[in-house]
Amino acid sequence: MIPYGKHYIDEDDIQAVVDVLRGGSLTQGPAIEEFENAFSKYVGTKYAVAVSSCTAGLHLAAMAAGMGPEDTLITSPITFVASANAGLYAGGNVAFADIDPTTINMDPAALAASLDSNPTTKVVVPVHFAGLPCEMDTIKSICDRAGAAVIEDAAHALGATYKNGMRVGSCCYSLMTVFSLHPVKIIAAGEGGVITTNDDAIYRRLLRLRSHGINKGNDQFICTDQAFTGLELNPWYYEMQELGYHYRITDIQCALAQSQLAKIDKFLFKRRKIVEFYHDNIYKLNNTISAQPRQQIGQSAHHLFVIRINFSGIGINRSHLMSLLREKHIIAQVHYIPIPMHPYYRLLGNTIDKFPNAQSYYKECLSIPVYFSLDKGDQDYVLDTLSEILK
Ligand SMILES: Cc1ncc(COP(=O)(O)O)c(C=O)c1O
């Protein structure tokens, strides 16, 4: 089978995990901080906090940005539900800003309109769809004017760069950026996520929230009478200072992630090559275009390659196409069902007709395979098979 995405593990990765298993700590040990340091160095930010998933990271980021029951989080309708759910977990509401049909990223003009109609917005979550960075300079200035914090959902975008050449995750346009280490993403840890920030207070809060809300490092104690005997710190003492979660990651996962991070240049290079090949040959596919522009190839991390097929007039629908591909051992996927269309979000009063660009994109999109070990033969096979079916 040729899936739409897949991890790649080599002997160094296996050895890195074995070393942790043979060594001391399985969790709360040194591999976590080592990975966090390597990650923050790579993306160019002051701090990185590794957590159990990107979903957990988005939740903590929304809390750390001060999101509460009176507040709204705005995100794109075309993303995985986790980007929006963070706002609900933090007790607030969620609203959407339609996509730009040429990039599938949040349209800054739609964001400005959504902020006008949602004056309680505290947090905006732009999603770097398929790994292509959003127009962050414009989004940041719109959010600054509205007093909203920016949390980038970079689940797809590890290794991507903005127009200014800085890496996604450097937080040059945001308060925090959140990544995923799920196996279909750019690097894999099994499960896992990373939050990056340049803000000292946010960093310290994230460390507490990741582990039950218990004070960490040199956090001040609230009950000093309990914390000290005379001037001496009581060795057993810790304080839960707010309601946090158990969103920790293990040393096993971080050892794997760090070993994967060491290979990121070659992962990105191969993804880019595959995407270039698809762009060069997409003309062979009847009624089909690439969902994102070729001229931005250099900026994207290429987590996905999405094609848009105009199904009207070619005598086949998407469901049938996907079944035929599966018969030929190719597993395509749809990214994503627009969030306002999910029953839960419909019950909250959302409707898709307010987001016409997301609606038309959803009717046409299909993600075709892109991952490190997809060789030239597989790439030819994917395109030839598609071309044959869409004829
Ligand atoms: C855009 C986006 N955000 C968030 C997530 C959640 O990531 P995780 O599975 O690490 O929680 C995903 C996962 O697919 C995603 O695609």
Side-chain angles (χ1 to χ4, degrees), residues 53-55 58 79-80 82-83 127 153 155-156 180 182 185 192 336:
S53 66
C54 177
T55 304
L58 287 163
T79 177
F80 187 55
S83 321
V127 181
D153 182 335
H156 301 181
S180 172
H182 181 276
K185 303 296 179 352
Y336 290 93

Side-chain angles (χ1 to χ4, degrees), residues 28-318:
Q28 291 178 279
I32 297 170
E33 213 175 304
E34 278 167 31
F35 170 61
E36 289 172 339
N37 290 340
F39 196 95
S40 56
K41 194 165 164 224
Y42 175 74
V43 298
T45 192
K46 222 164 150 185
Y47 302 114
V49 178
V51 287
S52 52
S53 66
C54 177
T55 304
L58 287 163
H59 176 192
L60 297 190
M63 283 181 77
M67 178 103 196
E70 307 300 321
D71 302 321
T72 299
L73 175 154
I74 297 179
T75 190
S76 166
I78 299 294
T79 177
F80 187 55
V81 290
S83 321
N85 290 349
L88 303 182
Y89 296 153
N93 306 304
V94 171
F96 300 94
D98 204 359
I99 56 164
D100 173 339
T102 64
T103 60
I104 321 305
N105 280 334
M106 178 186 275
D107 174 11
L111 171 63
S114 184
L115 280 163
D116 283 346
S117 29
N118 295 286
T120 57
T121 301
K122 186 96 174 190
V123 168
V124 171
V125 179
V127 181
H128 305 306
F129 181 79
L132 179 66
C134 296
E135 248 182 78
M136 288 308 300
D137 43 357
T138 318
I139 290 177
K140 171 79 166 75
S141 36
I142 292 170
C143 289
D144 283 351
R145 277 201 297 278
V150 179
I151 298 172
E152 295 167 76
D153 182 335
H156 301 181
L158 180 58
T161 46
Y162 306 110
K163 279 182 265 175
N164 70 4
M166 292 180 78
R167 285 215 171 103
V168 169
S170 58
C171 297
C172 56
Y173 298 115
S174 63
L175 187 56
M176 283 167 273
T177 304
V178 191
F179 295 87
S180 172
L181 307 175
H182 181 276
V184 291
K185 303 296 179 352
I186 309 298
I187 66 166
E191 296 284 357
V194 183
I195 313 163
T196 60
T197 186
N198 290 312
D199 186 296
D200 297 19
I202 292 273
Y203 170 64
R204 294 162 72 93
R205 182 135 189 243
L206 290 172
L207 291 181
R208 284 196 298 273
L209 288 172
R210 169 174 75 174
S211 201
H212 309 277
I214 290 170
N215 65 327
K216 292 283 159 203
N218 56 357
D219 282 346
Q220 297 288 310
F221 288 102
I222 293 171
C223 303
T224 43
D225 57 324
Q226 292 294 310
F228 297 96
T229 303
L231 290 175
E232 196 97 335
L233 175 65
N234 291 323
W236 71 85
Y237 191 72
Y238 59 86
E239 280 181 347
M240 180 184 142
Q241 298 185 333
E242 64 177 314
L243 185 60
Y245 297 85
H246 176 176
Y247 281 168
R248 293 191 305 260
I249 191 166
T250 65
D251 285 57
I252 306 167
Q253 291 162 300
C254 285
L256 176 55
Q258 191 169 344
S259 174
Q260 291 257 300
L261 187 60
K263 292 187 277 284
I264 192 163
D265 288 346
K266 78 174 190 186
F267 286 168
L268 293 168
F269 181 79
K270 178 69 180 287
R271 285 176 180 273
R272 198 159 292 163
K273 286 283 153 213
I274 297 170
V275 167
E276 275 169 8
F277 172 75
Y278 284 156
H279 272 287
D280 287 345
N281 290 282
I282 201 160
Y283 71 90
K284 294 179 184 160
L285 308 183
N286 192 15
N287 270 23
T288 302
I289 54 163
S290 161
Q292 293 183 312
R294 188 192 172 110
Q295 60 269 30
Q296 280 173 285
I297 277 186
Q299 281 181 263
S300 177
H302 301 295
H303 161 55
L304 301 172
F305 186 79
V306 184
I307 56 176
R308 292 184 70 156
I309 305 169
N310 180 357
F311 286 97
S312 56
I314 57 169
I316 190 169
N317 60 38
R318 185 166 53 191

Side-chain angles (χ1 to χ4, degrees), residues 343-378:
Y344 190 86
Y345 277 90
R346 273 157 65 170
L347 279 176
L348 294 176
N350 297 287
T351 53
I352 187 61
D353 47 299
K354 291 194 198 128
F355 310 102
N357 295 336
Q359 192 173 27
S360 356
Y361 163 81
Y362 173 55
K363 287 184 186 145
E364 299 180 350
C365 66
L366 193 71
S367 305
I368 62 172
V370 54
Y371 51 89
F372 178 72
S373 56
L374 189 78
D375 64 25
K376 190 64 180 51
D378 295 335

